[in-house]
Every structure is written in C-alpha cells, then in structure tokens.
Amino acid sequence: MFPLQRGRRLRVNESIRSLVRETTLSPADFMFPMFIAEGENYQSEIPSMPGIFRRSLDLTVEEVKELFALGIRAVNIYVKVDESLKDNTGKEAWNPDGLMQRAIRAIKTACPEMIVMPDVALDPYSIYGHDGIIENGDIANDATNEALVKMAVSHAQAGADFVAPSDMMDGRVLRLRQGLDAAGFQNVGIMSYSAKYASAFYGPFRDALDSAPREADVVVPKDKKTYQMDYANRIEAVKEALMDVEEGADMVMVKPGIAYLDIVREVKNAVNVPVTVFHVSGEYAMIKAAAERGWLDHDNIMMEQLMCIKRAGASLISTYFAKEAAILLNK
C-alpha cells in the first residue's frame, strides 16, 4: 500500500515503461485487406477510405512486395467484379480464370512467402448484394454452402494459404473443411469470420466493392441481419466461435474491432485457436476524417487503437492501417 507501493515508479521514463510494457505491436501482427480490379496499371482511390485503392493485378503485386519488405506477412484479398458477371448463383466465384483466382496466383508467384487469405462469400458476385443465394425471399443456407465449397476449392487450387469465409452461413466451416480435404487440400487453413456483426461500420467497404444489398425484381432481404449477428449479443459470439472451432476452423475472427473489444476478450478466453480482429473500414474512415479536420492526432490514435485491439486478445489484426503502422514501427 501507499507509500510503500508507488505505481509511478514504473512510469518515470520511456525506458522503464518499455521494460514493463505488457503488450507490444510488430508488423507481423497485421494483415492488410486489398481490393483488386481488372485492368493494367490501374488504381482508383476509394473516396470514403483515403489512402486505400482498388488496384489492377500488376500494381497489387508491387504493393504486396512493399508490404512484405515492411514485415507484413498476410493479405486478405477482395475483388471488384464486373456487373456483367454477377448473378444469383455466384458461379463466377469459382471460375478458375476469375479475377480472384488470377490474383492469388499472381501474388504467390511474386511473393511466395506472403500468406494469402482470399475472402469467401458471394456478395461481390451477387446481383442482389447478399452473401448467399436467394430462394423464396431469403438466403438459402445449404445451397450457399455448396457454392462456398466450390469457391474455396478454387482458391486452394490457385494457391491460397487460408480461405476466409465471411458469409456467416450455418455449418459452412464444416462443409469447407470437408470439401478442401476431399480435394486434397488438407493443409489449406480456414480463418472463419465467426463473430461478424450486422454493423453500420462496413459502409466504406461496400462502396469499395459495390456489395451492399440492393433493390431487386424479386423479394430479397433488405439487409444482412438474418445471417450477420445482432450487435446487442455477447454470449452468441462465443457460441459461434466455439462451433466454428469444432467444425475445423484454424483461426476465428471478430468483426468489427474497436467497438467490440469486449467480444474479442470473451472469444479469446473461450477458444484455443488464434483470434483475428478486423479493424474495419468505418473505423478507419472515422480516424482519417477526424485527422483531416485536425480533431485527432492521426498516428497516435491509429497506434493506440491497434495496441488496444492487440491488448484485448488479438493474435492478428486485419487493418487498413497495416502499411502506415508498419512504417512507424520500423522507424
């Protein structure tokens, strides 16, 4: 007790603070989400995400090399699909010559040690902007799972290290594990979006891929709340994560990040696999917007949020700040 114990003795200067620091960050803690588009020597900044671009394959490969040189060891990739290729089956998602498959091959050829985790969900390929196949006005869970297996196997064939199902269909991790194993890809891992909430923080991401639910000439759900989780729930997240681990997930994810750190800790305490946290587009955009107006110190708030996500229990942080944070850490 005071005065024998004085907490400030351990805060006297940065050298002492660094000696007793409980949580540390390194570039290897980050995964960078990347948006890929058709074309050559093409990049287009996403208006709601300053500093983040849709890039053609050639420029994507160059960016991946830069990321690897900074110490980042994983990328989570998404593709912007041409409207003419979208339908209600998602069949373009398992086209062996599709943009995603070509992107995986290009990245692994140029930078073999970079871990590539392609997104597994049908919304970029859906004319309705939903993560699954629409039947009778709702998402057909089991039919969607069959499509996701085809998609995941095609990713594995292209060279993916992990597949990252973000769709939130029931039972899809088990189906993916069975499908990958049957195709001879026992060593391809699954990073499951286990606790993905129906959040308003995803807006800029949907701008990037044009993947928001849209009006249609048939009855479709107006939002994604019949499959993404209710943000009022906590215990449900633990249940979903435990189920995914039982079905074969090698990693589980909580999404979004900063607003859900209580969930991160709950899941971390419950599972025996690494926990990934997605620091999502809306969280990124808010910091960028506030910093542009001089309301926040960009670098300090960026690093504080990333540190807090790691402190809460994240083994890996998927963040649009990965490159900027890695540059700062390397300094």
Side-chain angles (χ1 to χ4, degrees):
M1 65 177 67
F2 178 85
L4 301 180
Q5 289 292 332
R6 291 178 181 265
R8 290 181 58 192
R9 292 186 193 124
L10 300 180
R11 306 177 202 137
V12 169
N13 56 49
E14 177 56 24
S15 293
I16 292 176
R17 292 191 296 271
S18 67
L19 285 176
V20 299
R21 188 161 290 140
E22 299 173 32
T23 308
T24 59
L25 280 173
S26 82
D29 291 322
F30 305 138
M31 176 164 61
F32 191 49
M34 304 187 77
F35 301 114
I36 302 170
E38 293 283 8
E40 187 175 348
N41 195 32
Y42 168 82
Q43 71 174 20
S44 174
E45 189 173 36
I46 298 159
S48 54
M49 300 176 70
I52 301 298
F53 297 83
R54 301 185 196 96
R55 290 185 172 92
S56 54
L57 282 181
D58 52 339
L59 297 186
T60 296
V61 164
E62 293 307 310
E63 181 75 355
V64 166
K65 291 177 181 177
E66 288 185 31
L67 295 170
F68 194 84
L70 289 169
I72 295 167
R73 294 294 179 260
V75 291
N76 190 201
I77 59 175
Y78 305 84
V79 293
K80 176 72 170 65
V81 179
D82 189 272
E83 287 294 320
S84 66
L85 299 174
K86 297 182 180 183
D87 61 16
N88 187 36
T89 70
K91 63 181 182 295
E92 177 63 18
W94 54 89
N95 177 0
D97 294 315
L99 180 56
M100 178 67 87
Q101 289 76 8
R102 285 182 280 126
I104 296 167
R105 288 194 293 267
I107 293 170
K108 293 301 292 184
T109 298
C111 193
E113 294 181 68
M114 180 65 85
I115 303 301
V116 179
M117 301 192 189
D119 181 58
V120 176
L122 296 185
D123 50 329
Y125 304 89
S126 169
I127 53 173
Y128 304 124
H130 275 286
D131 290 40
I133 296 167
I134 302 292
E135 290 181 3
N136 301 317
D138 197 7
I139 309 299
N141 191 93
D142 296 358
T144 295
N145 282 344
E146 292 178 13
L148 297 177
V149 171
K150 296 176 187 177
M151 186 179 186
V153 169
S154 77
H155 293 174
Q157 290 169 337
D161 300 282
F162 283 76
V163 294
S166 64
D167 55 286
M168 289 298 288
M169 296 298 112
D170 292 333
R172 92 276 205 207
V173 173
L174 178 60
R175 296 291 177 264
L176 290 175
R177 187 69 272 157
Q178 292 171 332
L180 288 167
D181 288 357
F185 295 107
Q186 292 87 353
N187 289 332
V188 172
I190 298 174
M191 183 192 69
S192 175
Y193 288 57
S194 298
K196 181 179 180 180
Y197 284 84
S199 172
F201 282 106
Y202 305 150
F205 174 92
R206 291 174 181 169
D207 291 344
L209 292 184
D210 190 23
S211 61
R214 59 184 72 177
E215 293 184 3
D217 54 0
V218 298
V219 177
V220 298
K222 66 179 181 179
D223 53 39
K224 302 192 177 188
K225 293 181 179 179
T226 66
Y227 45 102
Q228 294 179 358
M229 285 178 50
D230 183 345
Y231 57 70
N233 294 352
R234 177 177 56 87
I235 295 172
E236 183 184 14
V238 175
K239 180 187 77 172
E240 291 282 351
L242 288 171
M243 288 171 60
D244 283 358
V245 172
E246 289 175 359
E247 292 180 12
D250 301 283
M251 293 189 251
V252 297
M253 176 183 278
V254 175
K255 182 181 179 181
I258 282 294
Y260 293 78
L261 294 188
D262 60 320
I263 307 301
V264 176
R265 175 45 57 183
E266 292 276 7
V267 170
K268 179 70 171 180
N269 289 343
V271 302
N272 58 1
V273 300
V275 176
T276 303
V277 176
F278 205 138
H279 193 215
V280 299
S281 58
E283 295 170 314
Y284 173 89
M286 288 193 300
I287 293 176
K288 288 294 184 181
E292 285 177 2
R293 289 160 177 77
W295 296 345
L296 291 175
D297 182 308
H298 178 277
D299 290 353
N300 280 331
I301 198 72
M302 170 182 72
M303 298 307 293
E304 181 178 344
Q305 287 205 359
L306 294 172
M307 184 70 78
C308 290
I309 293 171
K310 181 81 181 293
R311 188 195 64 215
S315 302
L316 180 64
I317 306 169
S318 184
T319 176
Y320 300 96
F321 286 117
K323 186 176 182 180
E324 292 174 277
I327 290 170
L328 277 180
L329 289 168
N330 287 332
K331 288 181 180 178

